[in-house]
């Protein structure tokens, strides 16, 4: 998927959100400024959870409750993990089942939390603002997930 603008990225996230359900784990990767948080903003809009979705310096995990009857969004930015604070300290497994959990910089850290996960990689395109998003589903939950959530 090629997303030309931040608004396109948010719209993509909102479409993806329509396919999410409690227990889902999404692992976001890509370089600094790739658009991971921007994608989470779209997912939050689609899930209708309380915002705002930001990347605050000292908060690693934040719970965004649903404004409807849906699941909360647990947004984790694992960038600063690895020092005194480890992923285990966040107790994500306590909330995983009833939430949609999205982890930025979670590659190599959170795979142990669940057998199923959707890996989302975002890359910059040289020369312009566009971003390339690729999805890779791991486990039976994502067995038939197309790379474009509008398809299939
Ligand atoms: N097509 C696009 N999709 C997403 N973001 C874009 C796009 N074009 C430009 N941007 C800009 O790129 C920046 C992406 O920042 P964002 O915080 O979402 O990235 P990030 O991957 O979460 O970074 P970090 O690694 O610091 O957490 C924003 O300022 C956004 O407006
Ligand atoms: Mg971010």
């Amino acid at each position: 998927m090629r997303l030309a603008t931040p608004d396109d990225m948010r719209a993509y996230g909102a479409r993806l959100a329509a396919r999410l359900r409690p227990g889902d784990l999404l692992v976001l990767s890509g370089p600094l400024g790739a658009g991971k948080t921007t994608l989470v903003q779209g997912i939050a809009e689609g899930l209708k959870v309380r915002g705002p979705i930001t990347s605050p310096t000292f908060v690693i995990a934040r719970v965004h409750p649903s404004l409807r009857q849906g699941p909360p969004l647990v947004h984790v930015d694992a960038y600063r993990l690895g020092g005194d604070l480890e992923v285990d300290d966040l107790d994500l497994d306590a909330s995983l089942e009833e939430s949609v959990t999205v982890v930025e910089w979670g590659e190599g850290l959170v795979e142990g939390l669940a057998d199923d996960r959707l890996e989302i990689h975002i890359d910059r395109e040289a020369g312009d603002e566009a971003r390339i998003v690729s999805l890779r589903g791991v486990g039976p939950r994502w067995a038939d997930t197309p790379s474009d959530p509008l398809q299939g």
Side-chain angles (χ1 to χ4, degrees), residues 10 16 25 33 35-36 39 59 61 79 83 90 114 118 120 135 138 142-143:
R10 279 185 283 265
L16 186 61
L25 173 66
K36 299 180 290 297
L39 177 64
V59 180
Y79 187 66
L90 299 176
L118 184 62
I120 304 180
L135 304 187
V138 177
W142 305 104

Side-chain angles (χ1 to χ4, degrees), residues 3-6 9 31-38 77 104-105 129 131:
L3 290 321
T5 69
M9 182 65 81
L32 278 170
K36 299 180 290 297
T37 302
T38 305
D77 190 331
E104 297 186 40
W105 297 101
E129 289 282 82
R131 304 295 199 263

Side-chain angles (χ1 to χ4, degrees), residues 63-76:
V63 181
H64 298 272
S66 178
L67 299 169
R68 308 283 165 85
Q69 302 297 316
L73 172 67
V74 176
H75 175 212
V76 182

Side-chain angles (χ1 to χ4, degrees), residues 5-144:
T5 69
D7 278 350
D8 291 341
M9 182 65 81
R10 279 185 283 265
Y12 178 81
R15 272 155 55 202
L16 186 61
R19 302 197 145 229
L20 300 177
R21 56 186 196 222
D24 285 348
L25 173 66
L26 276 54
V27 183
L28 272 48
S29 61
L32 278 170
K36 299 180 290 297
T37 302
T38 305
L39 177 64
V40 181
Q41 288 168 351
I43 293 172
E45 274 170 39
L47 288 177
K48 306 275 191 295
V49 297
R50 193 198 298 155
I53 303 291
T54 58
S55 8
T57 315
F58 298 109
V59 180
I60 290 177
R62 182 168 272 167
V63 181
H64 298 272
S66 178
L67 299 169
R68 308 283 165 85
Q69 302 297 316
L73 172 67
V74 176
H75 175 212
V76 182
D77 190 331
Y79 187 66
R80 286 163 211 88
L81 285 182
D84 292 339
L85 194 61
E86 302 290 344
V87 71
D88 287 350
D89 298 320
L90 299 176
D91 260 343
L92 292 176
D93 44 349
S95 57
L96 195 68
E97 258 185 63
E98 64 266 24
S99 312
V100 169
T101 304
V102 182
V103 188
E104 297 186 40
W105 297 101
E107 257 183 321
L109 289 175
V110 298
E111 285 79 1
L113 285 175
D115 293 334
D116 302 279
R117 65 185 178 275
L118 184 62
E119 298 178 351
I120 304 180
H121 186 78
I122 308 178
D123 253 322
R124 291 159 168 270
E125 194 168 81
D128 63 23
E129 289 282 82
R131 304 295 199 263
I132 308 298
V133 175
S134 26
L135 304 187
R136 176 175 175 267
V138 177
R141 160 70 178 101
W142 305 104
D144 50 33

